[in-house]
Structure formats: C-alpha cells, structure tokens
Amino acid sequence: MCSCTENTSSIGELLERYKPYAKDSLIPVLQEVQQVYGFLSYENLVAVSKAFGLSLAKVYGVASFYNQFKFNTPGRYNIQVCRGTACHVKGSAKILEKIKRVLNINEGETTKDGLFSIEVVACVGACSLAPVLCINGEYYSRVTPDQVEGIINNLRDVKHEKDL
C-alpha cells in the first residue's frame, strides 16, 4: 500500500515519463497513478485522458473494467474481504455484512474519519486459512463474524495510540 500523502511528483511529471503516449501504456500509467496517489481521482483521470488524447469516458471505461483500480481515497486501514470459493464456502459473506454494519459503509467506500475502507477481492491466495481478511497486508485467518468488531476496535486503538 502506498503512502498516498507522500507525493514526490506531480501528475504532469509522472505522465512525462510515458511520452510518446502509446495506447498500450494506458494501463501501466493508471497503475502508477494509483500507486502514487492511492486511487484514481477525477482530476488525474482527466489529466491522463488529455495526455493520451482519449475521451474521459474511454479512460474511465478502461479503468473501471479492472477491479484493481479504485476511485475513492482508501482508508488508513483498507480491509480486503476475500470472496474466493474457499472463503465463500466458509462464510465470508456474513463477515462482509458484519464489517459493513460495524463501519456503516459499503464495499468501495471509506468511513468519514478516513480510517477504514472496505474492498471485496476475488482471492487473496490463502485458501487453507479461510475465511480470510487482509488489512494493509496483514492476514487475519479463520475469521468469524463475532471477531469482526474486535479486529476493528483493535485497529482503532492502534490509531489512537499513534496519535498520542
């Protein structure tokens, strides 16, 4: 996960490195923009569309086709809920519903305080540990709906301790 507040270059500088703008470099550009900024903002999509000479609708269409791209600022803690077959069979839908209730947001959204976001992913590659949550690269295995609130509260406590 990037440190989205640590921009070392502007979107213009980033795009300059891809001149001349070949159509097959659109996805790598979008990937780098997301890596640097944490998500694809409207302003950055406009800049990419102008640089490539493509309509904003075309650039957005390409980006929205792939689930790797995000269009909202991720939370400090990005909760990835695995919905792969093993996790699905072991109850990840109930875990997702519990997370949504506890945080009062839906997948693809970020809490108002910017602390949490929810992302549904097809598979995190830890099927033997199902059901799995991945939060900022840390795996939580064999999660039950009853554990969700405790996991979230622990992360809130960590955030609070860091702010002291």
Side-chain angles (χ1 to χ4, degrees), residues 61-78:
V62 169
S64 63
F65 178 80
Y66 298 98
N67 67 4
Q68 67 177 297
F69 295 116
K70 298 167 186 60
F71 301 99
N72 297 310
T73 307
R76 178 181 283 183
Y77 298 107
N78 185 41

Side-chain angles (χ1 to χ4, degrees), residues 1 3 11-12 17 19 33 40 42 59 68 77 79-80 98 109 111 119-120 126-127 129 140 157:
M1 182 81 192
S3 178
I11 186 72
R17 294 195 307 270
K19 277 187 171 179
V33 169
L40 300 177
Y42 173 80
V59 172
Q68 67 177 297
Y77 298 107
I79 302 172
Q80 294 179 315
K98 178 73 178 231
E109 296 179 349
T111 55
E119 180 181 359
V120 174
C127 302
L129 303 174
Y140 294 77
D157 291 345

